[in-house]
Amino acid sequence: MPNSRPRPRRGAGGGAETAGRDELVSRSLQSAEHCLGAQDFGTAYAHYLLVLSLAPELKDDVKETFQYTLFRWAEELDALNRIQDLLGCYEQAMELFPDDEVICNSMGEHLFRMGFRDEAAGYFHKAVKLNPDFNDAKENFYRVANWLVERWHFIMLNDTKRNMIYNAAIQKAVCSGSKSVLDIGAGTGILSMFAKKAGAHSVYACELSKTMYELACDVMAANKMEAGIKLLHMKSLDIEIPKHIPERVSLVVTETVDAGLFGEGIVESLIHAWEHLLLQPKTKGEDVNCEKYGKVIPASAVVFGMAVECAEIRRHHRVDIKDVAGVCLPTNVKFQSPAYSCIDSEETVEPYTTEKMNRVPGGYLALTECFEIMTVDFNNLQELKSLATKKPDKIGIPVIKEGILDAIVVWFVLQLDDEHSLSTSPSEETCWEQAVYPVQDLADYRIKPGDHVMIEVSCQDCYLRIQSISVLGLEHEMDVTKSFTQNKDLLSLGNEAELCSALANLQTSKPDAIEQICVLESTEIALLNNILYHEGFKMAMRKVLSSLTPEKLLEAMDTHCQNEMSSGSGQNENSIQNAPDPLYVLDVSEGFSILPIIAGMFGQVKAYSSVEKDLHRITLDLISEANHFPKETLEFWLRHVEDESAVLQRPKLDKLWSIIILDVIEPSGLIQQEIMEKAAISRSLFPNNLSDTFVSTLYVPRKVAYIKGVFEFPYECLLQSGGKIFPQYVLMLGLLVESQTLVEESAVQGTEHTLGLNIAPFINQFQVPIRVFLDLSSLPCIPLSKPVELLRLDLMTPYLNTSNREVKVHICKSGQVTAIPFWYHIYLDEETRLDTSSEASHWKQAAVVLDNPIQVKMGEELVLSIQHHKSNVSITVKQ
């Protein structure tokens, strides 16, 4: 048995010293084992350190037990916030086992949770190099790679038009005399290299991200420009002359702009640059050597907007329904998405989301003409300084089409110089997305020609903010009763009579109930709007709870519930005493979920929610109260559980769960991490003689006990007889497609797009094989096969799941297979199915993107190899 206590090996000398050492090692092993049995992981860890320092030849024998001890002790240190001790333990472990991929990966996980993403990526990358088949490390590296090198880098570098226009503007400026250049936010360094190729004498570049800085160093070396470009790992705001660069430069180039123009700090960085790093600007009319004056590329920008109707934006940012599967949403609870920005808010929150509007599912309808929001001159220091302090501009836009006002969509034209410009308009085929400002809290969202959409525009906190959105009807008199803002200032069209009319028509009444604002993520709002999802759970839960409750008793429960709803909280002690034991329902969904309240509709049920945020708990209490549920119906499970990781346990010592709801699929389209482990724990159907391999790769589940050197799972099941896990099983489906869009969004394609510069091999180290948050209904692609079932994941009987499977796919159209999009059919039971690819779904889809396209002809077959390891699934084409 590899995990039982090993016998110390005697050295060749066999003297008294060796015998003493062996005795100490043996006693330390016994003590370590005893401490593990008592769950004293810190002392056990210290004993193992002593054993391995005295007897390194025992490494192989105690490796798995040492890993287990390390991980459990690290968890305790993490919970106690003893970060230095935790890191010290891992450093000791890495010295003892420098080539252990499991320890490397675990170290990376702790570092990532602490916010050290660069360092975490290094450990994940090392773990993958040590063991290329180590799925956990690969999955971790892919997730961190998305943080370290955001996906827009690939899309932008593949945008040939953008690269050519920037290159032309830089070349023109350098040839006109701007020979000293500073690239702010260098990224891969492409703009710096454009300047160097154009003939700039001195080129400096700064990049804050450690990952991108190191990547740019490699790129510049590969293009033989490392000697001609000084790359600084710092913010431009921290650059000092002559400490970092010898003198002021004549040209700053930058593309630190996001979809809302100002979100990456371009205003702040250019104010600092004009004050400390750039030569003085050339005044108008002067015609002298450009090298003596400073300038910025881009020179200016014009911001545009348009009011739109868009059902996809609406369902992700506005709760449009009053009733969810029979649960009434009270009027005093207001749901808002994070993109909503209240004018009185002191928080610095990005006030918009982003969408590629020409690919938004279902499209959109323009309700106004395109209108100009503001212009900004990046070569005017005073104008830049005034942006943050300037009072909001009030703009009125005439409505040209009848429709539902869902959002203000914003884009801009970046004027690089007087000749070259880039537009991020939805009508342009560009790498850019548009900024979307959802409209929320209007009394009436329907607008028509003759109305005016009123907005206030400002640049607070270096963000473009569009606030105080309201609608003025101009047919008879201005109708400002549609205004949703809490702003005390009145919107004015500049006419005193109109202002008086507006004052006369303002609504002044206040609701009796205190309004509760509940901020939800856009995916949580889309889930709340997903009627099929909640109706499906309602039907499936009713079946289970009915089967566990005798019919007459169920009728009594329904009557009891109805009486409670009609009489409020008035209930006599007799009915409480005579009430049957409740059925227990646990919802461990990620984020906000009203499923426990839906479960509470079925009579004598005690439903437990595992929401974490206090605001979400308050909101669920208000919803429960509005539906006249007895107060004891809804409980918050994390208040009863000391360790959040131990959420899967019995409701009480003598009780079991009737239903456990697991959140299987992430909104991104991937399987939730550790979901199969949670299903296994819920069922607890493991035999005692687990294989060593399974134990060592399971990362020590929370419910594991260490007994006499053997990892054993408790046999008790968390479900009562007849109880169910929801969903009971999940089918993963996929198809083969040809999509150049997915290819170009996943990796830089050669040197053609980057105008001959060698960047692709370096940034492509951070490409990931899976693209998430896709919408197949609007993805530009050509289907080459029909959908096929790729995998079945059974949560009620998880030990039946297979880890490897081959699937034959029939080709129905000739082309190049570039990707395999996939989605899921979630079966709550045999009759109730949820489809993550449906139009109403709050889930998105994902796709495996192939490294090399595969040419196929109609009538052929491809074989896909599906590997399932814990909650990770990999798909490869077998050739």
Side-chain angles (χ1 to χ4, degrees), residues 464-505:
L464 177 66
R465 294 189 179 273
I466 295 180
Q467 301 167 130
S468 304
I469 303 173
S470 62
V471 178
L472 295 181
L474 299 178
E475 289 177 336
H476 303 293
E477 60 182 5
M478 291 196 309
D479 176 16
V480 294
T481 60
K482 294 181 180 179
S483 177
F484 77 93
T485 180
Q486 299 172 6
N487 183 19
K488 303 298 186 293
D489 297 329
L490 292 172
L491 300 175
S492 171
L493 294 178
N495 182 300
E496 190 174 345
E498 289 175 340
L499 179 59
C500 291
S501 177
L503 279 167
N505 283 281

Side-chain angles (χ1 to χ4, degrees), residues 94-110:
M94 292 297 296
E95 287 177 12
L96 290 168
F97 298 95
D99 297 327
D100 188 286
E101 70 274 17
V102 177
I103 294 176
C104 264
N105 183 65
S106 184
M107 173 70 156
E109 288 176 338
H110 280 287

Side-chain angles (χ1 to χ4, degrees), residues 441-470:
D441 277 0
L442 287 181
D444 183 5
Y445 293 93
R446 184 159 287 281
I447 59 177
K448 59 189 180 303
D451 292 343
H452 278 70
V453 175
M454 307 299 298
I455 64 173
E456 287 191 358
V457 178
S458 64
C459 185
Q460 297 174 8
D461 309 314
C462 293
Y463 283 112
L464 177 66
R465 294 189 179 273
I466 295 180
Q467 301 167 130
S468 304
I469 303 173
S470 62

Side-chain angles (χ1 to χ4, degrees), residues 97 109 139 156 230 237 259 271 275 300 385 468 473 522 574-575 604 636 720 771 811 817:
F97 298 95
E109 288 176 338
E139 185 71 19
M156 191 168 279
K230 183 175 181 180
L237 301 177
I271 289 173
E275 290 180 335
S300 63
K385 283 185 170 182
S468 304
S522 60
N574 230 15
S575 65
Q604 199 70 15
F636 297 107
Q720 71 177 97
R771 286 277 288 123
I811 305 298
V817 179

Side-chain angles (χ1 to χ4, degrees), residues 490-534:
L490 292 172
L491 300 175
S492 171
L493 294 178
N495 182 300
E496 190 174 345
E498 289 175 340
L499 179 59
C500 291
S501 177
L503 279 167
N505 283 281
L506 273 175
Q507 282 186 331
T508 55
S509 62
K510 292 184 179 179
D512 295 329
I514 297 173
E515 191 175 88
Q516 175 65 52
I517 303 295
C518 181
V519 179
L520 299 180
E521 296 299 325
S522 60
T523 51
E524 292 174 318
I525 291 178
L527 170 58
L528 206 50
N529 282 321
N530 190 340
I531 296 172
L532 293 175
Y533 176 91
H534 293 100

Side-chain angles (χ1 to χ4, degrees), residues 22 159 180 267 337 401 454 517 540 554 559 576 590 747 777 787:
D22 287 351
D159 189 339
S180 55
V267 173
S337 74
K401 283 188 181 176
M454 307 299 298
I517 303 295
L554 187 64
T559 304
I576 297 174
E590 299 287 326
S777 67

Side-chain angles (χ1 to χ4, degrees), residues 807-824:
V807 179
K808 289 182 179 179
V809 185
H810 183 76
I811 305 298
C812 60
K813 184 179 179 65
S814 299
Q816 276 196 332
V817 179
T818 59
I820 308 164
F822 57 89
W823 62 97
Y824 309 88

